[in-house]
Amino acid sequence: MARRKKIYEGKAKILYEGPEPGTIVQYFKDDATAFNAEKKDVIDGKGVLNNRLSEFFMNGLTQIGVPTHFIRRLNMREQLVRSCEIVPLEVIVRNYAAGSMSKRLGIAEGTQLPRPIVEYCYKDDALGDPLVTEEHIAAFGWASQQDMDDILSLALRVNDFMSGVMLAVGIRLVDFKIEIGRVYDGDYQRLIIADEISPDSCRLWDIETGQKLDKDVFRRDLGNLTDAYSEVARRLGVLPKSNVSKPTLIN
Ligand code: 5GP
């Protein structure tokens, strides 16, 4: 059997050339990294859970008319996605202060923000993904003004959708990061949600207890990461009921 072509290997995923032109296979690894890869580990089953959870969120977004790169899940660790040109920005939406915003502005973690706040970081690992303004984005040509209007609208729609889905299962969506892809249809370009949406890229707190159910469990050594992600998947009905207590994770 021919070996497939690896296009890119990141910290948590590998991208392979897809079976048809314009497609990519996105493979979810078990690797966890934090603080710009200064902290690293392999967490059994993380990739399987993120593959399922990202499928769940992307499918939900498609159903409410938010375009995404997701085509279909292929197996436990892989999904077929539409190939796109990634806008070099991390788009962060915050509903409650936490993480870098709390540190930067001295606002206690968990403080509700007056409205959702959208931030942009320039995607560059060597620089530690620095926060940038729309002035930088326009001046350096990373995205046009029309792109920025579309990105803001997409980010807020994702926030409304994700907040509602999470609230329904007793989880607070504190903040999240998304990435945006550019696809071309003839002379026109469209922006779509790319990469992944999973507990690796969101802050998710239990509404009753405040328990963290996201990657901060790994970043801050708060317990077992797979247990936290399994709990999110269980509440959303993403894991089969028989696997509720200890999910059987097959590669
Ligand atoms: P903060 O800026 O507070 O570190 O992160 C804000 C939100 O964006 C958190 O939900 C965090 O998980 C997510 N985020 C920020 N940068 C990254 C990144 O490089 N990778 C991932 N997976 N998530 C990120």
Side-chain angles (χ1 to χ4, degrees), residues 50-66:
N50 280 350
N51 186 25
R52 294 297 286 255
L53 284 162
S54 200
E55 171 193 25
F56 176 83
F57 298 130
M58 295 283 184
N59 274 338
L61 286 169
T62 304
Q63 275 167 25
I64 62 159
V66 175

Side-chain angles (χ1 to χ4, degrees), residues 11 90 92 94 98-101 119 129 175-177 200-203 215 219:
K11 285 173 278 189
E90 295 198 333
I92 294 173
R94 299 179 187 271
S100 70
M101 174 187 248
E119 295 176 347
D129 301 334
D175 58 30
F176 66 90
K177 182 263 305 183
D200 263 11
S201 50
C202 300
R203 280 199 175 90
K215 202 167 144 190
R219 292 188 189 103

Side-chain angles (χ1 to χ4, degrees), residues 113-173:
L113 300 172
R115 60 182 175 83
I117 294 180
V118 183
E119 295 176 347
Y120 305 100
C121 294
Y122 179 52
K123 255 175 78 67
D124 186 317
D125 281 342
L127 299 175
D129 301 334
L131 186 70
V132 292
T133 68
E134 291 195 45
E135 277 288 284
H136 297 107
I137 296 168
F140 296 122
W142 297 325
S144 68
Q145 190 51 56
Q146 178 63 55
D147 289 341
M148 292 313 290
D149 293 346
D150 293 348
I151 289 172
L152 179 64
S153 149
L154 283 171
L156 293 175
R157 290 179 75 192
V158 173
N159 187 44
D160 284 347
F161 170 76
M162 292 289 294
S163 295
V165 166
M166 290 300 174
L167 193 60
V169 295
I171 295 174
R172 172 163 296 147
L173 178 67

